[in-house]
Amino acid sequence: MIKNNIPFFDYPRLWNDNKNDLLKIIEETSTKGRFILQKELIDFELSLAKYTNSKFAVGVGNATDAMEIFLEAIGIEKEDEIIISSHTMLATASAIKVAGGVPVPVDIGYDNLIDPKCIQEAITSRTIGIMPTQLNGRTCDMDPIIKIAEKHGLFVVEDAAQALGSTFKGKAAETFGLASDRSFFQAKVLGCLGDAGAVWVSDDNLYERIYQIHDHGRDVKDGEVKRWGRNSRLDNIQAAILSHKLKSYKSVIERRREVATIYTERLSHLNELALPVAPGAEPDHFDVFQNYELTAQHRNELKEFLSGKGIGTLIQWGGTAIHQFKQLGFTQECPKTDAFFEECICFQ
Ligand SMILES: Cc1ncc(COP(=O)(O)O)c(C=O)c1O
C-alpha cells in the first residue's frame, strides 16, 4: 500500500517551493539595510489597504498584537464587555482581557460562526462592543450584527485573522467595523516566514492612535512621542516577502475554492459528515477556505484513519472552545459549540 506524506501544513515547503524568490528578496532588502519601517513595509501597507478598499493598514508583529492595539486605541474600561464567538482562537479573548475588558463568548450558528441571536441575548448594561471572528476564511452575515450594534450603541471590530480575500455582499472582511486584524503567521494562506500581522482602520484619528501605539507612542508624521506605546512593528523583510506573495494571492484563493468544491462533490453523500457551505452556494458570501472545517461522527476514528494513510488533519484550538476554558473564569454555556467540538475537524 502506498503511504502518503501529506501533513496538514507543510512548513518546509514555505521555503523550499519559493527559495530563489525568497533569497532574492532577503538579499535585496538586506543589502540596502532596510529592516524596520522602510519602503517595503510602507508599500505592503498600501497594497493591503487597497486590497480591502480601506483607508489604512498598519503592519504589526502578529494578529494578537493587532487586536490588543486597536482595542487600546478605541479605549476599553475595566469590566467593559465585548461579545465574541466561542469558536475562535484564545487570542481573540486574551486581546480583550489584556486591553482591560471582559471577553463574553457566545454560541455559533449554522455556519459555525457567531450566531447573531446569541449576541442579542448576551448584551448587558456593560456591553460596549461585538468582535465577530471571520473564521475559516468566511465573513459572517454582517447585516444582523451591525443592526444589533446600532440598536444598542455598540461598536463592531473584527477578528479577521483568517479572512483576507473573503467578502460579504461584495464588501471585504476587515471593513465592517472600526478596526480589524489579519494574521500572516506562517500557516495562514498568506503567510510569512514566522509571525506578522496587520490592523485595518479607516478613521483618521483612530489610525493615528493605532500607529502611535505600535511604535513607542511616536507619531506617523514627525516621530514625536504623543502617548505611551509599545513596539509591535512588522519587519521589513517579512513585509517584502508578503508583498511578493500577495501578487499571486488571488490564484491561491481560487485554488482553495476549487479544492473545497471537490471536497463537497465527493463527500456530500456521506450522512456521517456535515460539510461547510460550498463555494458559490450562498451568493452573498465569498469564502477563501483558510480551513475546510467539517463535522464528522466518529471524528477521532476518522482522524486516526487518515493519519494512518499519511494525511494530516487539524482540530482547531487543540479542541477547546473559549467558554470551555473554565480555568480562565468562563461560565457561559454554549451547547451548540460543545456539540460542534465533539466532531469538528479541518482538512487542508
Ligand atoms: C481567528 C484567529 N484569531 C487570532 C489569531 C492570532 O494570530 P497571531 O498568531 O498572528 O497572533 C489567529 C491565529 O491563528 C486566528 O486564527
Side-chain angles (χ1 to χ4, degrees), residues 26-93:
I26 294 168
E27 189 174 8
E28 272 176 18
T29 316
S30 302
T31 50
K32 287 175 190 141
R34 296 208 288 239
F35 298 114
I36 294 290
L37 293 179
Q38 297 293 316
K39 180 180 182 311
E40 288 76 8
L41 173 62
I42 294 161
D43 289 348
F44 180 55
E45 289 173 335
L46 289 172
S47 316
L48 283 181
K50 194 165 161 215
Y51 195 85
T52 57
N53 223 356
S54 307
K55 201 159 173 191
F56 306 105
V58 182
V60 295
N62 53 66
T64 310
D65 281 2
M67 290 185 279
E68 288 175 19
I69 289 170
F70 70 60
L71 289 170
E72 185 184 337
I74 288 167
I76 310 289
E77 303 208 338
K78 204 162 179 276
E79 303 304 317
D80 281 349
E81 292 177 357
I82 299 180
I83 297 171
I84 59 172
S85 171
S86 193
H87 183 12
T88 186
M89 194 185 181
L90 189 54
T92 324

Side-chain angles (χ1 to χ4, degrees), residues 255-273:
R255 180 65 190 142
R256 295 191 81 81
R257 286 170 58 82
E258 270 168 36
V259 172
T261 304
I262 295 168
Y263 278 140
T264 307
E265 281 167 6
R266 307 225 176 136
L267 300 176
S268 55
H269 66 287
L270 296 171
N271 294 333
E272 295 87 348
L273 306 182

Side-chain angles (χ1 to χ4, degrees), residues 112-180:
N112 312 327
L113 275 60
I114 196 165
D115 184 343
K117 272 203 313 296
C118 300
I119 296 177
Q120 179 67 60
E121 287 162 13
I123 292 172
T124 70
S125 58
R126 297 198 300 270
T127 309
I128 60 158
I130 308 169
M131 179 151 66
T133 295
Q134 317 293 23
L135 192 68
N136 294 328
R138 177 178 170 88
T139 309
C140 300
D141 177 349
M142 293 303 293
D143 288 346
I145 295 177
I146 286 167
K147 217 164 159 188
I148 293 168
E150 282 172 358
K151 183 170 159 205
H152 294 274
L154 311 176
F155 66 72
V156 174
V157 287
E158 299 162 73
D159 179 356
Q162 298 192 0
L164 188 64
S166 159
T167 61
F168 173 67
K169 293 190 172 172
K171 192 169 154 61
E174 298 101 9
T175 62
F176 287 89
L178 291 179
S180 65

